[in-house]
Amino acid sequence: QTELFEPNLSMYPCFQQLASISKPNMRELCATACSNELYAKNDMVFHKGGEAKKMQFLIMGSLVYRYRSNDHHSKPTTVRVEQGQWFLEPVLWMPWKHIGEMKALTEVDTVTVSAAKFREVLQSSLDVFLVARGFAYSFWQEVQEARDAGATGEVVLTDIMMKATRGRLLGAQRSLVRKGNLDELTLCEDVQAHLVQWDD
């Protein structure tokens, strides 16, 4: 299990550091907290308002995520989540209900980490607990910044990655005419993300 899951988990700095200080705890995390979830094209991954219980890493395919800013009268923002990115990080550090909704844009394979099992692993080692506590505090600071910015309508706390390495925004501020830096597949998936049919 470690060989299967650790390369994907190590994309996330907290898990990367956990692996560097305690191989046994990393093996325990992979064996008890991790699993694969597969989605067919157009499958719903989650709905707004549902309770989140696991963090996920996208290891194959593309997803599309939609949310609204604090101004509920504004148009939804759509984000394409790409291979190598993670989402639902907040569930590791706090109770979390989905802010938006997510669909599979293509066939998708994810690695999931159970938040409850992750917390059990933390209890087995003081060193691991202290590392995780540092990341939890950093995450809390980022949440406060997002909430403060959200009060002015600039930013909203979402289910996807926060500051670093987000999926690209697909709103009106980004024109798909700028093809020069995008390969053909990426451009096609961007267009598909705009055309996704949602339940509402």
Side-chain angles (χ1 to χ4, degrees):
Q1 297 284 15
T2 304
E3 293 77 11
L4 179 63
F5 294 128
E6 184 176 347
N8 299 299
L9 299 190
S10 293
M11 294 186 293
Y12 181 55
C14 179
F15 295 149
Q16 184 181 47
Q17 194 163 342
L18 186 155
S20 71
I21 65 171
S22 177
K23 289 293 184 184
N25 285 111
M26 191 62 182
R27 285 195 294 270
E28 183 185 358
L29 183 71
C30 291
T32 64
C34 296
S35 62
N36 279 101
E37 285 193 2
L38 305 175
Y39 300 93
K41 183 177 179 178
N42 293 323
D43 278 356
M44 288 298 301
V45 179
F46 55 78
H47 294 272
K48 181 179 179 181
E51 183 180 1
K53 296 184 178 180
K54 56 202 170 189
M55 181 180 181
Q56 292 186 256
F57 294 79
L58 180 58
I59 61 175
M60 186 191 77
S62 293
L63 297 158
V64 59
Y65 175 71
R66 187 177 75 154
Y67 70 96
R68 292 183 185 273
S69 69
N70 289 344
D71 177 6
H72 297 291
H73 299 292
S74 64
K75 290 184 178 179
T77 298
T78 303
V79 182
R80 188 162 67 82
V81 180
E82 301 172 329
Q83 183 175 326
Q85 296 179 322
W86 63 79
F87 51 100
L88 298 176
E89 175 187 8
V91 75
L92 297 183
W93 314 116
M94 59 196 294
W96 187 256
K97 289 189 177 180
H98 297 301
I99 302 297
E101 53 196 341
M102 182 175 281
K103 263 189 175 183
L105 196 57
T106 64
E107 290 188 353
V108 163
D109 187 1
T110 69
V111 170
T112 72
V113 181
S114 162
K117 294 292 185 182
F118 169 66
R119 288 189 281 272
E120 289 180 13
V121 172
L122 296 186
Q123 296 172 16
S124 63
S125 166
L126 178 60
D127 288 342
V128 168
F129 173 79
L130 292 175
V131 166
R133 186 175 69 174
F135 277 94
Y137 179 69
S138 295
F139 183 82
W140 176 82
Q141 288 182 309
E142 201 168 330
V143 167
Q144 299 310 307
E145 291 172 9
R147 284 180 172 163
D148 291 345
T152 65
E154 297 173 4
V155 179
V156 66
L157 194 60
T158 71
D159 300 284
I160 57 176
M161 295 164 65
M162 294 183 65
K163 280 187 176 177
T165 325
R166 289 179 181 268
R168 285 196 312 282
L169 287 177
L170 300 172
Q173 73 274 26
R174 180 181 169 277
S175 172
L176 291 177
V177 175
R178 296 167 53 196
K179 301 178 186 178
N181 297 327
L182 300 175
D183 61 33
E184 188 174 343
L185 177 61
T186 300
L187 182 64
C188 289
E189 289 182 352
D190 280 351
V191 172
Q192 289 175 357
H194 275 294
L195 299 177
V196 165
Q197 298 295 310
W198 301 94
D199 292 340
D200 59 7

